Structures are given as structure tokens and as C-alpha cells.
Amino acid sequence: MMQKSMPVLALAAGAMAAGSCPSDSPLSCHNSTAVADTCCFIPAGQLLQTQFWDTSPPTGPSDSWTIHGLWPDNCDGSYPAQCDADRAYTNLTDIIQANGATDTLDYMNKYWKDYKGQDETFWEHEWGKHGTCISTLEPSCYGDSYKDGEEAADYFTRTVGLFKTLPTYKWLADAGITPSDSKTYDVNQIQSVLSKKHGAPVTLGCKGKVFNEVWYHFNVKGSLQDGQFVAAEPDGAKGKCKGKVQYKPKSGGSF
């Protein structure tokens, strides 16, 4: 159940050209009957903005988490995947540039990093597996003005915009939780800090006893392109962190 007074994010649409949705569009995962207009409603309506903290090898800036993706879940903990093989684009840099989202691409080159150094392949995976399953990104939702690959550019622009509102490193550092080779931190303390900032519980990911992922959950009112993202309770138990965990520094990471 969604908490009261959830923060609502109405992010700038930027280069996105899809038409605006009605102001009375239902909030995803809160409809009691099926919604016909899936250009203004996302049936797989719990959106997860997922972030990495990679230290081996160190990936991305030393003072920032990096983007993993933006994933649609089915409101019950299950999720769709790889929904349109015909739109599993492999030329994403070209597509993003052609759609005027060069600022998005510049940001991705710094903050949406693959730990193996294969950024473009990583982006292709995230778009093909998750982006193609978001109904409001169907080309038919754009009408006659649709440009090839426009919906993929919108997916990456929206994900980047959302990530910028979720500064995990800063939120933790402001609470005295900073990367360390010697300290450990209680998972409940990390959860308390991030859930208070987000407005709802978050999902914490660990590899063994090493803290390395955060998932922020949202429901959406309207389209992914220009709708409102509302902080939401996770759609099921997903966290893998317990007790005390390490939050290791990114030794040698970029700035």
C-alpha cells in the first residue's frame, strides 16, 4: 500500500515529443478496472529506477552511484521482459543523437556505465529487456510525428532525469554513511536514510555482505514521457541485505 504524502516528481519532458495526457489519468497500480488508453497509462506500472555501486572494478565517478536502468514491474512483483524484438535497437548512440538528446548521451557516458567497459551493449540490454515493455513508448503513441527510435531516446532521457533526483551517494554521505574499507553499516540505518529521502521504502541489494545496489520504486500518473512519478512501496520483498554490511570505496574510480 502506498504511504501518505508521497513525493511526486513531474520531470521536464526535455526533447520528448509525445502528446500530453489528461490530468485525470489514473495512477498506475491503483486502477480498479482495465485502462484502455495505454499511451497514457502503464499497465506494468511499478517503475524501478535502479542504481549500482561497482567497486571491482571501480565504475563511474567515485562520488556517485551509477545508473542500472528503469524497469517496469506488473504491480505484483512479476515483470515483463523483451517485449518487442523488432525494436531491440543496436545503434542507440546514433538514435539518441538523431533525436536531439545529446545532453542525455553525454550524461550516460559518465553515469550509465558498464563495469566491463561495454556501455553501448549495456544500454542495448536495458532498452531491449525493459524499455520495450513500457506501453507509453509504443511508436503508435507518437502519432504521425514519430521519428525512428524516438521512444528509445525518451526512455534514456527520462531515466537520466529521474536518476538526477535520486542522489544516493549524497543522501548517505549527509547522514554520515560513506564508503570505507574498515567500517560496516546497519542495513536498517541505510534503509531509514534512503526511504526518508525517497518517501517510501527502497530495495537494497548486496553481494554477500557488500552493499552495491539501490532500487527506487515509483507508480506513474500518465505516460513515462511526461507523467508524474510517485514514490511507492516495493511490489514485493526483493532486498538481499541483512544485518551489517560493507560499503566499499571505489578506489581508482573516475571523477
Side-chain angles (χ1 to χ4, degrees), residues 12 56 61 75 78 81 86 98 109 128 136 138-139 145 154 156 158 172 194 200 206 244 246 255:
S56 181
C75 308
S78 65
D86 290 338
N109 281 322
T136 69
E138 288 286 343
S145 64
D154 283 354
F156 290 105
R158 189 57 153 175
L172 292 175
L194 296 181
C206 290
K244 297 274 191 179
Q246 292 178 283
F255 285 93

Side-chain angles (χ1 to χ4, degrees), residues 32-87:
S32 56
T33 58
V35 177
D37 184 4
T38 56
C39 290
C40 285
F41 178 81
I42 306 173
Q46 174 135 146
L47 277 291
L48 284 64
Q49 201 291 292
T50 55
Q51 301 184 11
F52 274 140
W53 181 260
D54 284 323
T55 61
S56 181
T59 306
S62 297
D63 60 351
S64 176
W65 287 57
T66 55
I67 301 170
H68 188 169
L70 185 60
W71 306 343
D73 275 13
N74 288 320
C75 308
D76 61 3
S78 65
Y79 61 90
Q82 292 149 338
C83 296
D84 189 345
D86 290 338
R87 292 190 297 126

Side-chain angles (χ1 to χ4, degrees), residues 4-246:
K4 295 180 180 179
S5 302
M6 292 298 190
V8 177
L9 301 176
L11 304 181
M16 295 177 277
S20 295
C21 293
S23 59
D24 61 352
S25 297
L27 183 66
S28 64
C29 297
H30 287 69
N31 55 306
S32 56
T33 58
V35 177
D37 184 4
T38 56
C39 290
C40 285
F41 178 81
I42 306 173
Q46 174 135 146
L47 277 291
L48 284 64
Q49 201 291 292
T50 55
Q51 301 184 11
F52 274 140
W53 181 260
D54 284 323
T55 61
S56 181
T59 306
S62 297
D63 60 351
S64 176
W65 287 57
T66 55
I67 301 170
H68 188 169
L70 185 60
W71 306 343
D73 275 13
N74 288 320
C75 308
D76 61 3
S78 65
Y79 61 90
Q82 292 149 338
C83 296
D84 189 345
D86 290 338
R87 292 190 297 126
Y89 305 128
T90 57
N91 56 332
L92 288 170
T93 291
D94 292 341
I95 285 173
I96 293 167
Q97 289 175 329
N99 281 279
T102 53
D103 288 348
T104 292
L105 183 61
D106 290 344
Y107 196 89
M108 289 167 62
N109 281 322
K110 184 173 183 180
Y111 293 100
W112 201 327
K113 305 295 293 179
D114 176 64
Y115 76 100
K116 296 180 180 178
Q118 299 173 358
D119 296 350
E120 183 92 14
T121 300
F122 181 30
W123 304 340
E124 290 169 4
H125 169 80
E126 290 300 308
W127 164 252
K129 182 175 181 179
H130 302 291
T132 59
C133 297
I134 299 170
S135 65
T136 69
L137 296 176
E138 288 286 343
S140 58
C141 294
Y142 290 79
D144 294 338
S145 64
Y146 173 73
K147 292 172 59 179
D148 287 347
E150 183 175 3
E151 77 281 18
D154 283 354
Y155 171 78
F156 290 105
T157 295
R158 189 57 153 175
T159 305
V160 163
L162 198 59
F163 174 77
K164 289 178 178 179
T165 71
L166 302 166
T168 302
Y169 184 92
K170 182 180 186 303
W171 285 347
L172 292 175
D174 287 350
I177 301 173
T178 57
S180 172
D181 284 319
S182 57
K183 291 182 181 179
T184 58
Y185 297 99
D186 191 286
V187 167
N188 292 329
Q189 181 188 8
I190 296 171
Q191 177 66 249
S192 176
V193 170
L194 296 181
S195 62
K196 193 172 295 183
K197 290 292 188 180
H198 178 46
V202 302
T203 296
L204 304 177
C206 290
K207 187 174 183 179
K209 283 292 187 178
V210 178
F211 174 43
N212 68 345
E213 279 208 73
V214 177
W215 300 355
Y216 294 95
H217 301 251
F218 293 91
N219 294 140
V220 183
K221 183 179 175 65
S223 68
L224 176 125
Q225 292 91 313
D226 59 8
Q228 295 178 330
F229 278 63
V230 181
E233 296 267 358
D235 55 341
K238 301 172 185 289
K240 298 178 180 178
C241 299
K242 296 180 180 179
K244 297 274 191 179
V245 295
Q246 292 178 283

